[in-house]
């Protein structure tokens, strides 16, 4: 069969592209494409070479590992090469891998694998002689890496000396250097405060930090390491399984992933993928998949290698959290408090498990700093529940002419002038409640789940109601009739009745919810709760002055000022009065027993509770004056650990925080 010239040209193009991206990624730390785009190019080339083996060339990136070492660090030849991993992206492909392993071993028996997170950092090999750290090298091209010994020595989790009695004469410890998420956030805040460019993601930050010629800079960066393998080992017998190797490493004082597990058979592997996928966002560091390794070293040796990767291991990749797409437009959204937010309208892209077509550009400063322009190719990131973000423009793909984005001087909705407060990045529409956008947002907020929780009153409907002139403020909602609602487009009689019913139900609420629903600037759920618990009645809050308000925890002078100003406005007082008149009511909160053990304490709930739902437990804790936090820090007083508690529990233990079980919690709540 003859090969078409197009295909030959494509293979050449792919080879050049991948080699270029390898260089940008490994050598300059300045990638132009996301990992997933790179994986796709690689997969395409691999497929072509598989279909037409005559197209494989000696310089094809499929035939060697990674890129070259930087010449600013001296070079190190690894005693044993540092390999790469093949990837799979679906359960079916994983099943095919498992089948291949069993076919190769000529067995029908289920396989035992070691399963662990695929950490998103950089591979490192650290050589210990007689237990002393003598050299640390990056992976480089797998055979030769860069000598980063002085930098690695600065990483607190890397032992400078191994501990224990059974130390080998020589051991190369392999692992991943990464930057935990909280450290990354802090580093980026500091970068911004110093007028420096923030890092795009924790992986880039870790790579940039490790490749510093000045090790003092590395020392100031929050790097960590987990070990996941052993290279050369001399003087003691090599471990018989991956799990044994990990236990041995722990005994020598190295850190290994707490998520490491032995799993047997296909189903257990798929369950582990599911388990870790669900946990991904809660882990304190970025992972991009799961690595499975045939546990037995004897079997690993029988399986061997193919060019760049072992046959006994595979990486199951999770959906990418970064993707590339283009900015089709930049629009301005006007928020509840009048803030003008630029939003990028994107060519829809599948990232972080969902299709994303909008990403906030935050404010004028941000848009200027990133210099995002209409037509630009950008990298979009969506991790967990976090709002999708444009992290970087791919400048090399910008086509001329392109124009810097300019914030408008008038509100795009009501044409009122915009106001810029000195020292604030945000510009606001000065139209107040005259601006339909602000009115709509205030009503959406009032109806939202954590506020008045009006079932069936979604964002679209609020827009329709305001546009049709049926409502102007939140009090108008309660005068709506079934006939008026039923006259709206896409609204039947039944839905109209349901909505009137839901509006009626929502009148019986809680004081804190009502306060939050009012949409006072800077008054979030927690502040609303503190206000309700402290003042107990609306009258008390209305007549409080700034001094009275500052007494409350969480309320500073800015918030106090916003609260006082809110209640001074006749319009706001009028709306509140009308709400009370139509029957909005709440039971008066109980004064918190200050002798409760939980008063003022910060509690974190983790794992599955058997007798209480999360929200019940939270409500009860709040009612006793406790704060309920989402993550464990040194400020945490108690961690309540239910079934299958994971990283939060281990973090609590490592910080020496009191951990209690559900029974104790129920006891306390009595
Ligand atoms: S094992 C022979 N385990 O993934 C197997 N690698 O794509 C060699 N990585 O260069 C690697 N977490 O930087 C292994 N738990 C883990 C890993 C892991 C992250 C990285 C490592 C390697 C790359 C291979």
């Amino acid at each position: 069969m003859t090969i078409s010239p197009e295909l030959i040209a494509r293979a050449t193009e792919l080879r050049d592209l991948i080699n270029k991206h390898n260089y940008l990624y490994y050598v300059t730390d300045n990638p132009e494409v996301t990992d997933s785009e790179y994986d796709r190019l690689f997969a395409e080339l691999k497929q072509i070479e598989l279909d037409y083996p005559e197209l494989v060339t000696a310089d094809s990136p499929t035939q060697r590992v990674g890129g070259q070492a930087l010449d600013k660090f001296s070079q190190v030849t690894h005693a044993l090469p540092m390999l790469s991993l093949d990837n799979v992206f679906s359960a079916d492909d994983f099943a095919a891998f498992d089948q291949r392993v069993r076919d190769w071993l000529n067995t029908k028996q289920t396989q035992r694998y070691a399963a662990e997170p695929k950490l998103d950092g950089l591979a490192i090999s650290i050589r210990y002689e007689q237990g002393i750290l003598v050299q640390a090298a990056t992976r480089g091209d797998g055979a030769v890496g860069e000598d980063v010994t002085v930098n690695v020595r600065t990483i607190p989790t890397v032992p400078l000396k191994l501990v224990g009695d059974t130390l080998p004469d020589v051991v190369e410890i392999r692992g991943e250097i990464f930057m935990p998420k909280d450290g990354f956030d802090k580093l980026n805040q500091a970068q911004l405060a110093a007028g420096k460019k923030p890092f795009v993601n924790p992986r880039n930050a870790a790579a940039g930090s490790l490749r510093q010629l000045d090790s003092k800079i590395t020392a100031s960066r929050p790097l960590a390491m987990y070990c996941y393998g052993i290279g050369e080992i001399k003087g003691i017998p090599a471990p018989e399984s991956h799990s044994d190797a990990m236990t041995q490493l722990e005994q020598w004082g190295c850190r290994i992933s707490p998520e490491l597990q032995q799993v047997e058979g296909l189903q257990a592997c798929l369950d582990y993928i599911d388990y870790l996928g669900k946990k991904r966002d809660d882990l304190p560091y970025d992972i991009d998949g799961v690595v499975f390794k045939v546990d037995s070293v004897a079997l690993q040796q029988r399986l061997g290698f193919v060019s760049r990767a072992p046959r006994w291991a595979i990486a199951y990749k999770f959906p990418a959290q970064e993707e590339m797409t283009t900015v089709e437009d930049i629009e301005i959204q006007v928020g509840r408090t009048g803030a003008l937010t630029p939003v990028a309208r994107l060519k829809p892209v599948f990232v972080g498990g969902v299709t994303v077509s909008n990403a906030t550009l935050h404010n004028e400063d941000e848009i200027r700093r990133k210099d995002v322009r209409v037509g630009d190719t950008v990298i979009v990131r969506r991790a967990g529940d976090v709002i999708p973000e444009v992290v970087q423009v791919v400048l090399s793909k910008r086509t001329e002419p392109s124009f810097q984005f300019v914030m408008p001087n008038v509100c795009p909705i009501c044409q009122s002038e915009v106001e810029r407060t000195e020292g604030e990045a945000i510009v606001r529409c000065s139209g107040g409640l005259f601006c339909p956008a602000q009115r709509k947002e205030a009503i959406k907020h009032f109806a939202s789940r954590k506020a008045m929780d009006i079932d069936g009153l979604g964002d679209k409907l609020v827009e329709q109601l305001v546009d049709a002139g049926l409502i102007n403020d939140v009090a108008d909602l309660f005068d709506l009739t079934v006939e008026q609602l039923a006259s709206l487009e896409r609204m039947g009689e039944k839905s109209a009745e349901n909505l009137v019913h839901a509006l009626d139900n929502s009148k019986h609420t809680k004081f804190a919810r009502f306060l939050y629903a009012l949409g006072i600037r800077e008054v979030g759920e927690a502040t609303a709760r503190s206000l309700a618990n402290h003042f107990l009645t609306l009258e008390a809050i209305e007549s409080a002055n700034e001094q009275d308000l500052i007494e409350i925890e969480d309320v500073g002078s800015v918030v106090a000022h916003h609260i006082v100003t809110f209640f001074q406005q006749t319009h706001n007082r009028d709306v509140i009065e009308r709400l009370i008149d139509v029957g909005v009511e709440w039971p008066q909160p109980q004064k918190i027993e200050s002798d409760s053990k939980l008063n003022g304490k910060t509690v974190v709930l983790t794992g599955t509770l058997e007798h209480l739902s999360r929200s019940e437990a939270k409500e009860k804790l709040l009612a006793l004056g406790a704060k309920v936090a989402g993550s464990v820090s040194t400020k945490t007083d108690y961690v309540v650990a239910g079934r299958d508690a994971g990283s939060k529990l281990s973090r609590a233990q490592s910080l020496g925080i009191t951990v209690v079980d559900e029974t104790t919690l129920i006891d306390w709540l009595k």
Side-chain angles (χ1 to χ4, degrees), residues 455-649:
D455 212 20
L457 184 56
D459 290 0
K460 284 261 149 42
L461 188 53
V462 171
E463 310 227 343
Q464 264 182 299
L465 288 166
V466 175
D467 290 340
L470 290 177
I471 55 172
N472 271 317
D473 58 39
V474 296
D476 291 342
L477 283 168
F478 297 96
D479 295 333
L480 287 169
T481 63
V482 173
E483 294 74 54
Q484 281 175 324
L485 286 167
S487 72
L488 293 173
E489 223 176 290
R490 290 190 301 276
M491 182 67 129
E493 187 95 8
K494 188 76 203 140
S495 325
E497 275 171 19
N498 287 346
L499 183 57
V500 170
H501 195 62
L503 278 160
D504 234 28
N505 278 343
S506 75
K507 288 178 186 168
H508 313 289
T509 186
K510 296 215 167 82
F511 188 29
R513 277 179 174 271
F514 178 77
L515 284 173
Y516 172 66
L518 292 176
I520 305 166
R521 251 172 88 181
E522 309 275 344
V523 176
E525 261 187 296
T527 311
R529 211 174 292 118
S530 303
L531 288 170
N533 288 340
H534 182 92
F535 288 102
L536 308 181
T537 67
L538 186 60
E539 296 71 33
I541 297 182
E542 283 177 328
S543 51
N545 61 30
E546 289 185 24
Q547 206 45 50
D548 302 330
L549 286 158
I550 294 172
E551 306 267 297
I552 304 171
E553 228 197 342
D554 296 341
V555 176
S557 57
V558 176
V559 185
H561 179 73
H562 287 320
I563 297 171
V564 170
T565 320
F566 181 90
F567 287 110
Q568 270 168 359
Q569 315 227 348
T570 24
H571 170 80
N572 291 337
R573 282 179 174 265
D574 172 54
V575 170
I576 292 173
E577 205 177 298
R578 282 162 55 217
L579 287 170
I580 308 283
D581 284 349
V582 295
V584 174
E585 51 154 29
W586 52 85
Q588 183 172 322
Q590 297 293 307
K591 189 96 199 133
I592 288 172
E593 298 292 336
S594 55
D595 59 352
S596 160
K597 179 182 177 60
L598 290 160
N599 190 22
K601 299 286 191 231
T602 300
V603 182
V604 172
L605 299 167
T606 181
T608 315
L609 302 180
E610 308 280 345
H611 303 285
L612 285 169
S613 74
R614 272 280 174 107
S615 51
E616 263 177 311
K618 187 174 167 184
E619 287 272 321
K620 291 192 171 163
L621 283 165
L622 293 172
L624 290 175
K627 278 191 241 155
V628 180
S631 59
V632 179
S633 72
T634 48
K635 293 200 185 112
T636 311
D637 294 296
Y638 303 113
V639 169
V640 180
R643 191 164 35 83
D644 292 335
S647 59
K648 288 183 194 168
L649 173 59

Side-chain angles (χ1 to χ4, degrees), residues 1 61 98 155 161 168 185 215 288 307 317 321 366 380 389 407 413 417 421 434 505 552 584 591 608 620 623 664:
M1 195 167 46
D98 176 56
I155 302 172
K161 191 174 171 210
D185 291 341
S215 60
D288 59 352
S307 70
K317 295 285 273 284
Q321 292 182 321
E366 276 280 298
V380 176
E389 216 196 352
M407 276 304 254
I413 307 295
E417 271 183 35
T421 313
F434 168 74
N505 278 343
I552 304 171
V584 174
K591 189 96 199 133
T608 315
K620 291 192 171 163
T664 313

Side-chain angles (χ1 to χ4, degrees), residues 83-85 116-119 123 139 176 228 291 293 310 312:
L83 297 159
S84 182
L85 291 167
E116 60 200 17
K118 185 166 192 303
L119 303 154
R139 176 159 159 262
E176 195 86 346
Y228 53 60
V291 181
K293 297 168 185 167
W312 44 265

